[in-house]
Amino acid sequence: MKITKWNKYKLLRDSDQLRSHMPKTKRLTVDHFQSMLNRYGTVVVKPLDGSGGKGVIRVRKTGSDEYEIHRYSRKWKVSGLREAYRAVKRKQEKRVLIVQRYIRLASVRGRPFDLRIMVQRRSKKTQDWTVTGRLAKIAGKGYMITNVRRSGGRVTSAEKAIRMSDIKGKDEAKQLLKQAEQISVASAKKLARTFTFIRRVGMDVGIDKNGKVWLIEANFRPSLSLFLKLSREAYNKIKRFG
């Protein structure tokens, strides 16, 4: 099976344990674009094979036939579904895109954040996955993507981000992090049944303002430099694990 966001989504969606933590996702067509906007009001469109937040666009329905497009730090409005659809397809005509329910992530001082949770196993022959690191990625000013390099955001500890956030149940930070880690490990186990070569996965996990945990993405080639920004100790722990 080819490694794409769509294939990973289908595998994880097949799990009873994980399904409720997966934002609804479909291949981008005009019909799917319209039905998802009608149902959720706001969606995210992203390349099937993209990484680093490149090409991610948020579309929000603001009126009966008015839409706000948010690409990187720029926002603008268009009239008509067809014009909104053309806006997300522009410059990406040759790329396969997916449309996903937009999850309003919790924020720190108005800037959304998600968690990067590292899960690893010592051998391809075992299903004994371990959480070896976690941190929070806080988006840069004006951005809705949390990719630190692209948005000019910053890294901090997961605990600190939750404590400073607008999450209603932030007093239960330990429980939120425990759930995020459990979902990350379960996801790695599920994916490894098909992608048997993986030993290190960086899970992007979001928490919305109501304290619900969402699995955003599973990265098979996660950047370890994020953890070096957090601390040398956190980075070395992941490297030592192998």
Side-chain angles (χ1 to χ4, degrees):
M1 180 182 284
K2 190 176 180 179
I3 302 171
T4 66
K5 287 181 172 65
W6 180 246
N7 285 336
K8 291 176 189 175
Y9 170 78
K10 288 192 296 182
L11 288 170
L12 295 172
R13 184 83 180 174
D14 190 50
S15 165
D16 291 338
Q17 178 184 358
L18 300 172
R19 190 175 301 116
S20 65
H21 298 281
M22 304 288 297
K24 184 72 173 178
T25 304
K26 293 185 178 182
R27 296 286 284 268
L28 181 67
T29 66
V30 173
D31 288 343
H32 287 162
F33 186 62
Q34 182 175 28
S35 65
M36 294 276 278
L37 275 168
N38 287 340
R39 182 173 181 181
Y40 299 114
T42 308
V43 298
V44 172
V45 176
K46 59 180 74 172
L48 191 71
D49 57 352
S51 62
K54 186 177 181 180
V56 177
I57 300 173
R58 186 182 73 187
V59 183
R60 182 168 66 94
K61 192 172 184 178
T62 59
S64 60
D65 206 25
E66 298 288 328
Y67 302 88
E68 179 191 76
I69 314 296
H70 189 175
R71 179 183 172 92
Y72 303 140
S73 61
R74 183 186 169 213
K75 292 181 183 180
W76 70 100
K77 291 187 176 182
V78 299
S79 297
L81 180 81
R82 292 283 175 176
E83 185 56 35
Y85 185 73
R86 280 193 288 269
V88 301
K89 291 283 287 184
R90 198 170 292 132
K91 297 183 180 180
Q92 302 193 98
E93 288 292 343
K94 296 182 179 180
R95 305 185 78 176
V96 180
L97 305 173
I98 56 176
V99 56
Q100 187 175 73
R101 174 187 177 181
Y102 173 68
I103 302 300
R104 189 172 179 80
L105 296 174
S107 61
V108 174
R109 299 193 180 108
R111 302 183 186 190
F113 76 92
D114 63 10
L115 307 179
R116 168 60 59 86
I117 298 181
M118 289 294 303
V119 287
Q120 296 175 257
R121 59 177 175 172
R122 296 191 183 279
S123 165
K124 292 184 289 185
K125 297 180 180 179
T126 179
Q127 278 290 334
D128 186 17
W129 289 85
T130 302
V131 173
T132 55
R134 66 190 187 198
L135 54 73
K137 298 175 288 153
I138 303 176
K141 185 177 181 180
Y143 282 79
M144 55 92 183
I145 57 171
T146 59
N147 181 269
V148 172
R149 180 180 61 84
R150 191 170 297 278
S151 74
R154 63 186 179 90
V155 162
T156 189
S157 71
E159 294 85 352
K160 183 177 180 180
I162 291 174
R163 188 170 65 250
M164 296 173 64
S165 76
D166 55 1
I167 298 174
K168 290 180 180 178
K170 64 183 179 183
D171 293 339
E172 301 296 328
K174 288 185 178 179
Q175 288 301 315
L176 287 175
L177 288 171
K178 182 179 179 180
Q179 186 180 17
E181 291 185 354
Q182 289 173 339
I183 289 170
S184 297
V185 169
S187 299
K189 288 181 177 179
K190 178 68 175 178
L191 291 167
R193 294 189 187 104
T194 298
F195 302 112
T196 57
F197 62 90
I198 58 174
R199 289 181 52 205
R200 177 190 289 165
V201 185
M203 297 292 180
D204 285 337
V205 178
I207 304 174
D208 65 26
K209 293 185 178 183
N210 293 317
K212 177 163 182 174
V213 176
W214 296 90
L215 179 62
I216 307 299
E217 194 166 341
N219 303 277
F220 289 175
R221 293 181 180 179
S223 170
L224 300 188
S225 63
L226 286 174
F227 286 89
L228 198 54
K229 292 177 183 294
L230 185 66
S231 74
R232 171 66 68 173
E233 182 182 356
Y235 173 81
N236 287 340
K237 182 181 178 180
I238 295 168
K239 291 288 287 185
R240 283 196 300 268
F241 195 90

